[in-house]
Amino acid sequence: MMGMLFNEKECKELDYVLRRELDEMLMDLSDKRLDQDIRNAIVLRYKTVFRMYARFAAPKELSKYAIRGKISE
């Protein structure tokens, strides 16, 4: 476990970076041309980034990035 202190500007930047990364991964997951191994790797990474984002995002914002339905790993 590692702790970090951020000022307000840094928190906003981290929020932005995590949201952009989640958006990119969701877009990649919607691409049917990717094979299952790549999709599984994206899902694992998505879960990690989503948990990071969930630590400080508002529930309303967080619900935008919740994966609906079952995604196989």
Side-chain angles (χ1 to χ4, degrees):
M1 174 81 49
M2 183 190 314
M4 300 176 79
L5 294 174
F6 295 111
N7 63 32
E8 187 65 31
K9 185 177 179 181
E10 292 167 335
C11 283
K12 288 181 181 179
E13 183 64 26
L14 181 61
D15 177 71
Y16 174 79
V17 169
L18 292 175
R19 283 187 290 117
R20 292 301 121 221
E21 192 62 30
L22 290 169
D23 287 336
E24 284 291 322
M25 286 187 279
L26 284 174
M27 187 173 59
D28 289 344
L29 286 172
S30 68
D31 187 352
K32 302 301 182 194
R33 297 174 294 172
L34 297 177
D35 68 6
Q36 194 60 38
D37 290 336
I38 294 173
R39 293 175 63 77
N40 290 342
I42 293 171
V43 168
L44 291 175
R45 187 162 186 263
Y46 187 91
K47 288 179 180 182
T48 300
V49 175
F50 182 80
R51 284 192 306 262
M52 291 170 60
Y53 184 61
R55 292 178 186 260
F56 58 88
K60 185 176 181 180
E61 287 295 314
L62 195 59
S63 66
K64 294 177 184 177
Y65 296 101
I67 295 179
R68 290 164 185 85
K70 184 178 179 182
I71 294 180
S72 61
E73 289 185 46

